[in-house]
Amino acid sequence: MSFGRFALKRSLQGIGVVWGVVTVVFALRFVTPGSAINAVAPLDASQETRQAIAAELGLDQPLYVQYGQYIFDLLRGDMGQSYIKGQEVTALVFSRLPATVELAVAASVVAIVLAIPLGVISATRRNEPVDYGATLLSLGGISTPNFWLGIMLILIFAVEFNIFNTSGRGVDVGDVALSVVNAEPFVGTLLTWLAYITLPAIALGTYFMALITRLTRSGMLDELSKGYVQAARAKGLPRTLIRYKHALRNTLIPVITVLGLQLGTLIGGAVITEAVFSWPGLGTLVIESINQRDWPALQGSLIVIGTSFVLVNILVDVVYAYLDPEVVND
Amino acid sequence: MPTDNDDHVDRRTVLKYAGTAGAVGLAGCSGNGSDGGDGGNGSDGGDGSDGSDGGDGEDGSDGGDDTFELGVTMGQMDSGLDPQDHAETNTEIIVGQLYEGLLDRDKEGGIIAGLANEWERTDDGSVRFLLRDGLTFHNGDEVTPEDVRYSIRRIVFEDVGIASPQTNDLGSVSEVTTGDGQVTVSFEGYNPIAFQLFATNGPVMQQSWVEENGSDYINRNANGTGPFRLSEYDSGNEVVYEPNEDYWDGAPEVDELTMSASSESSTRVNQLLAEETDIVTNVPPNEVSRVNGSDVATINSVASARIIFLQMRYDVEPFSSQQFRQALNHAVDVESIIENVLNGFGNITGQPTLEGHVGYNPDIDPYPYDPDEAERLVEESGHAGVEITLETPIGRYLRDVDIAQAAASQIDSLSNVSCEVEQREFSSLVQEVTAPNLEDRPHFNLLGWGNAEFDGSQTLTPLLSSEGALTVLENDELDGLLEDAEATEDSDERVDILQEANQLAHDLAPWVFMHQQFSVYGVSSDISWEPRADEFIDPDTATQQ
């Protein structure tokens, strides 16, 4: 199979997955009790009022008609209108997406910047105190629920020491960039941005960091015991060169795979962190939409989350195939 | 290989920029100490979310200048800004800063003037409102009687724009007519609580603005007459307001108002204690001491217009027995629940109408806690040994699950009744509570009811009359009293009838009467603000300390 065909196949599979997400979410209406009408109408609304609202929202149509209409609109790029907020879902979802992506990327940066050096040091100083410390840290990171960590971080660093903000988003990364263009105080804007994003990024990135640390450590240990490393040592190459140019590069292949997959998970999995920090991203929109049975908004959010996940996966697959042509043949 | 070259250049370029940015950042950090005060000026000060931080310790802008920036954090954001297309409190609070109705309420729930400064009942039973002179919408256009007529009709009649969920809020309006600076509303029959309804409902919008703009636009923009204008709307995140300098009652003292939400109550309290916001809603009882123990905020509470009760369906055993229903009222120690679960934030009730509301009967005492009497009544009812399940929503009302568990445990401790709790997600439970047919509704469930009109009929009719949307009871005598109350034009006589209805409801015991819920707010020590009985938040009455 050529590389092009491989990429095409993966893309078609991705579209299938997104369609599956849409259909499954639609099917959930069958089994989920509750209705958007209850979120829109007061408790004592008459049956006539409820029926009028149902008709306005299109909920009086049979489900297959609603489904067909939804897919038809979706193919034209229209994700419908929120039952509850009355806004176009496309605009609504894309207004929330940047916040979630920003948080996911920030969490990844926090994780990678700490995890890879920690993993390498841990592997190269095996069974030394620093290794034990790193192992303990990564074990703690994997075992700690991120909502609890988030609350602790808020209590300590925001409420007690008043270093960071407790919640909200404040400025976004775009504002930081624009501050340079608009000759606004760059440092002030940057610090404001950091005051908001640091704690949620740590809360969300800690599990990820722990995972990468362990992966890097075990990968490095594996590589360092291989023959080519022995040969390099025998040739008299400097230790640093062997570790960082040869062993680490090979270790990074699985790490990059996990990184890519986890980035997708971070986008979809930031729901709890967003709730704890009132971060106005897709996660909070998902929770609101579920609570209010706002199906169009929920579907729109899940389509975007699903698509992000699929895209990242395709990207990782394609990059992986590019780096390792055997994958294509497999 | 050009691609490779490009790659190399890109990587180096990125690294170079990253290095430069890092250096600039470090230089900036080192020099920032003396610039600390800049945080609150210029562009930062203009940012909505920073606004709420404004005062806060980090930059001290509140202390440095006279700008009064106020932050309010609730549990949930709005469901769009159309004031006539929602039916829940959070949205009402957010749009209520922008839009207002013909009449209004004071903090205790009394009726006061709104856009109309005079109102009267006409000879034929209609109600007439005289608009103030010189009223303008936020876009500068004059408020006309036709705008008011259109607004009422848009709420009441489905064919005028939308199927509004508020369609029943103004009563059975039949026609709206306009005259010189006045609007007359007629009803199908006599409406004894017309002014109560208009004091709580009926936000006025500009007809031409509504007709020119689609739903998506109206839900993201605003053009009302309220004390604040919309400055910035960030859906699901925050709403920023500026004072309406042309407000008929004078511009509010607040220079910038930011409304935001945190679904987690601990997050809201943390925001308050970190001085990032000034008013937070629904502080749970277990967080009260943390707020009061701080030197930056205090708890401010008020008895709300919401009553909490355990509904029992009269048509299914064992709840079909009046003795059994009364027995459960004796079995639950409401005062102990208020004291231990709600930290005192509640008033015990013994009738559907709350104290201070029209029709409240001061002669009715709550059922006393008496387990022996409860056991005796259960025996008499013939249902000894019965097993019942109390369904409760999760997180809908203050400590709802804890209250339900405490009540169920007290019922369960009777020697002849077993009771367990089933926790239900609210949306799922409410689907059954509002089912069109009584037989599809839960047998025994916890529910709360807010009576924004402060009139007993607005609780008794929907919840206990045979035709009520949420009823669990069918009693001809009670139906008759409520019909009489609806028809009578003498307000004193009407009060007497409602008091009688409350006595009957107490005796019939269709509910286990629980408590009047309190609205518990955390309020920054930097401001002075008193909460309202109707759960609405009025930041225009807040002042700087």
Side-chain angles (χ1 to χ4, degrees):
Chain A
M1 194 189 295
S2 71
F3 178 72
R5 283 192 58 160
F6 174 79
L8 183 69
K9 189 180 156 194
R10 279 283 183 273
S11 303
L12 289 174
Q13 284 174 344
I15 292 169
V17 169
V18 173
W19 173 75
V21 168
V22 175
T23 307
V24 167
V25 175
F26 222 97
L28 283 178
R29 296 183 183 201
F30 274 120
V31 291
T32 312
S35 161
I37 299 167
N38 292 320
V40 176
L43 283 180
D44 61 340
S46 63
Q47 291 307 320
E48 292 75 31
T49 305
R50 288 174 186 277
Q51 282 160 11
I53 292 169
E56 190 173 75
L57 300 179
L59 292 171
D60 56 341
Q61 300 287 326
L63 204 69
Y64 66 89
V65 174
Q66 292 181 44
Y67 178 71
Q69 185 65 45
Y70 187 76
I71 295 290
F72 179 71
D73 289 343
L74 198 61
L75 290 173
R76 294 185 305 157
D78 178 6
M79 291 202 274
Q81 199 163 18
S82 159
Y83 287 163
I84 309 297
K85 299 182 194 301
Q87 299 169 33
E88 298 293 335
V89 170
T90 311
L92 190 62
V93 168
F94 282 95
S95 72
R96 302 288 192 97
L97 184 63
T100 296
V101 171
E102 186 179 307
L103 180 58
V105 170
S108 306
V109 169
V110 167
I112 294 163
V113 164
L114 291 173
I116 292 179
L118 213 57
V120 171
I121 293 167
S122 188
T124 53
R125 298 192 179 180
R126 194 181 178 190
N127 294 333
E128 289 181 27
V130 69
D131 179 29
Y132 294 138
T135 307
L136 200 68
L137 192 69
S138 57
L139 192 66
I142 280 186
S143 322
T144 310
N146 62 2
F147 72 87
W148 183 85
L149 181 65
I151 292 169
M152 288 301 117
L153 289 171
I154 291 172
L155 283 176
I156 297 167
F157 296 105
V159 178
E160 196 59 40
F161 294 114
N162 215 358
I163 301 171
F164 299 105
N165 279 70
T166 57
S167 53
R169 192 180 179 203
V171 297
D172 59 46
V173 71
D175 294 328
V176 179
L178 279 175
S179 69
V180 179
V181 180
N182 296 339
E184 287 173 5
F186 168 73
V187 174
T189 314
L190 180 69
L191 289 178
T192 306
W193 178 69
L194 286 173
Y196 282 99
I197 202 167
T198 304
L199 296 186
I202 292 173
L204 184 61
T206 297
Y207 174 83
F208 195 23
M209 178 206 72
L211 197 70
I212 302 288
T213 305
R214 287 163 75 97
L215 205 63
T216 310
R217 181 181 180 273
S218 61
M220 277 294 281
L221 285 174
D222 193 35
E223 292 299 326
L224 288 173
S225 66
K226 284 186 177 168
Y228 73 91
V229 172
Q230 306 286 344
R233 278 189 190 142
K235 275 167 67 180
L237 287 180
R239 189 177 288 179
T240 317
L241 193 70
I242 297 169
R243 283 178 187 168
Y244 293 100
K245 185 164 183 191
H246 297 287
L248 181 60
R249 281 181 72 165
N250 285 327
T251 303
L252 285 182
I253 292 176
V255 170
I256 287 169
T257 312
V258 173
L259 253 166
L261 296 178
Q262 288 293 324
L263 188 63
T265 312
L266 282 180
I267 290 173
V271 174
I272 293 169
T273 308
E274 288 190 5
V276 170
F277 288 92
S278 302
W279 188 261
L282 272 183
T284 36
L285 183 62
V286 166
I287 292 179
E288 286 166 21
S289 308
I290 291 172
N291 286 338
Q292 299 174 322
R293 303 292 188 271
D294 190 352
W295 293 105
L298 178 63
Q299 277 161 200
S301 308
L302 294 182
I303 287 169
V304 170
I305 289 171
T307 307
S308 312
F309 198 87
V310 167
L311 280 178
V312 171
N313 269 278
I314 292 173
L315 203 67
V316 170
D317 280 355
V318 170
V319 169
Y320 207 80
Y322 183 69
L323 293 174
D324 185 359
E326 282 183 23
V327 172
V328 178
N329 297 327
D330 287 347
Chain B
M1 302 258 300
T3 315
D4 278 356
N5 282 341
D6 285 351
D7 275 350
H8 281 119
V9 169
D10 280 347
R11 253 183 243 135
R12 281 182 188 145
T13 311
V14 168
L15 282 171
K16 200 163 68 182
Y17 282 136
T20 311
V24 170
L26 283 173
C29 286
S30 63
N32 193 41
S34 59
D35 291 343
D38 284 354
N41 72 4
S43 59
D44 269 6
D47 179 85
S49 51
D50 267 359
S52 59
D53 297 334
D56 326 329
E58 285 179 42
D59 54 28
S61 61
D62 270 5
D65 55 41
D66 292 335
T67 307
F68 181 15
E69 295 168 346
L70 187 80
V72 178
T73 308
M74 306 187 293
Q76 197 178 313
M77 286 304 284
D78 59 286
S79 55
L81 293 182
D82 188 332
Q84 299 176 344
D85 197 11
H86 74 86
E88 41 92 22
T89 310
N90 292 309
T91 305
E92 180 55 34
I93 292 170
I94 284 178
V95 301
Q97 315 304 327
L98 304 161
Y99 294 92
E100 53 191 348
L102 291 167
L103 303 177
D104 202 350
R105 289 189 183 274
D106 59 23
K107 285 187 188 277
E108 290 76 35
I111 297 174
I112 56 173
L115 294 180
N117 55 358
E118 287 180 47
W119 56 99
E120 61 184 2
R121 177 87 59 178
T122 61
D123 294 339
D124 65 353
S126 301
V127 291
R128 183 181 296 139
F129 300 94
L130 271 70
L131 297 184
R132 293 174 186 279
D133 291 331
L135 286 171
T136 55
F137 288 104
H138 293 161
N139 64 2
D141 294 346
E142 191 186 344
V143 178
T144 65
E146 284 68 33
D147 289 320
V148 177
R149 177 176 182 271
Y150 174 77
S151 298
I152 296 170
R153 288 174 52 80
R154 186 171 183 256
I155 293 169
V156 175
F157 302 120
E158 199 192 317
D159 57 344
V160 185
I162 55 169
S164 172
Q166 301 165 11
T167 186
N168 298 329
D169 289 357
L170 295 176
S172 46
V173 172
S174 60
E175 192 46 76
V176 187
T177 54
T178 58
D180 182 23
Q182 61 184 16
V183 178
T184 304
V185 183
S186 308
F187 301 90
E188 290 165 11
Y190 183 80
N191 187 337
I193 58 164
F195 297 122
Q196 278 100 317
L197 295 175
F198 275 92
T200 304
N201 311 300
V204 172
M205 303 176 80
Q206 186 181 18
Q207 180 172 0
S208 57
W209 185 80
V210 174
E211 288 176 343
E212 282 162 15
N213 296 295
S215 162
D216 184 59
Y217 185 86
I218 292 170
N219 274 297
R220 290 185 292 107
N221 296 276
N223 179 34
T225 58
F228 290 97
R229 295 168 190 267
L230 184 66
S231 173
E232 188 183 320
Y233 180 64
D234 187 357
S235 174
N237 185 20
E238 63 180 19
V239 183
V240 185
Y241 307 81
E242 59 190 16
N244 175 9
E245 299 298 340
D246 301 324
Y247 189 52
W248 56 265
D249 199 22
E253 197 176 304
V254 176
D255 294 304
E256 185 177 271
L257 168 67
T258 304
M259 292 225 168
S260 57
S262 293
S263 56
E264 297 291 319
S265 57
S266 62
T267 304
R268 293 197 295 276
V269 171
N270 286 332
Q271 284 180 310
L272 180 70
L273 298 184
E275 299 182 79
E276 292 171 11
T277 189
D278 300 295
I279 298 171
V280 298
T281 62
N282 295 336
V283 178
N286 57 319
E287 295 272 24
V288 166
S289 58
R290 192 155 76 97
V291 174
N292 278 335
S294 77
D295 54 2
V296 298
T298 52
I299 292 292
N300 213 338
S301 68
V302 65
S304 76
R306 190 173 297 277
I307 186 170
I308 306 293
F309 48 89
L310 313 181
Q311 280 184 312
M312 295 175 278
R313 238 177 70 189
Y314 87 104
D315 61 332
V316 288
E317 289 189 343
F319 307 109
S320 50
S321 159
Q322 184 176 348
Q323 284 154 314
F324 188 84
R325 298 195 301 262
Q326 288 176 335
L328 295 197
N329 272 283
H330 285 296
V332 178
D333 187 353
V334 180
E335 281 182 337
S336 152
I337 291 174
I338 290 172
E339 196 55 42
N340 297 307
V341 180
L342 295 169
N343 281 21
F345 291 109
N347 288 333
I348 188 168
T349 61
Q351 58 185 302
T353 302
L354 293 170
E355 191 172 355
H357 291 205
V358 176
Y360 173 75
N361 188 334
D363 298 329
I364 300 173
D365 288 326
Y367 281 91
Y369 173 58
D370 188 344
D372 295 335
E373 175 68 1
E375 285 176 359
R376 190 188 66 76
L377 285 167
V378 170
E379 290 295 335
E380 259 185 41
S381 74
H383 293 292
V386 73
E387 293 177 6
I388 55 175
T389 301
L390 171 62
E391 299 179 48
T392 178
I394 307 167
R396 176 71 176 184
Y397 312 108
L398 195 62
R399 302 293 293 269
D400 46 16
V401 173
D402 299 317
I403 291 165
Q405 281 172 339
S409 149
Q410 288 165 354
I411 294 169
D412 192 60
S413 67
L414 297 179
S415 62
N416 47 10
V417 181
S418 297
C419 183
E420 59 181 32
V421 171
E422 184 185 343
Q423 298 183 27
R424 301 280 306 274
E425 197 237 350
F426 182 69
S427 188
S428 155
L429 179 62
V430 83
Q431 176 90 343
E432 293 172 21
V433 169
T434 58
N437 300 317
L438 184 62
E439 54 265 31
D440 297 325
R441 295 181 188 164
H443 295 189
F444 185 33
N445 66 280
L446 184 147
L447 198 69
W449 180 255
N451 185 330
E453 287 80 17
F454 294 79
D455 189 282
S457 69
Q458 297 302 292
T459 301
L460 287 160
T461 304
L463 290 152
L464 295 172
S465 73
S466 300
E467 298 302 316
L470 300 159
T471 195
V472 289
L473 183 67
E474 207 173 293
N475 182 278
D476 292 342
E477 191 182 350
L478 187 63
D479 287 348
L481 286 169
L482 292 173
E483 279 165 21
D484 291 347
E486 180 76 16
T488 186
E489 296 183 18
D490 182 321
S491 56
D492 291 338
E493 189 186 334
R494 184 169 176 274
V495 169
D496 290 342
I497 297 170
L498 288 175
Q499 287 183 342
E500 197 181 334
N502 276 303
Q503 180 65 60
L504 182 59
H506 169 86
D507 298 339
L508 290 170
W511 303 344
V512 175
F513 295 99
M514 296 296 288
H515 63 281
Q516 177 181 23
Q517 184 169 285
F518 274 38
S519 298
V520 185
Y521 301 89
V523 182
S524 163
S525 306
D526 292 338
I527 66 161
S528 173
W529 172 78
E530 289 302 320
R532 296 165 58 105
D534 59 3
E535 298 182 358
F536 185 73
I537 297 175
D538 50 2
D540 54 313
T541 63
T543 54
Q544 243 170 333
Q545 287 278 48

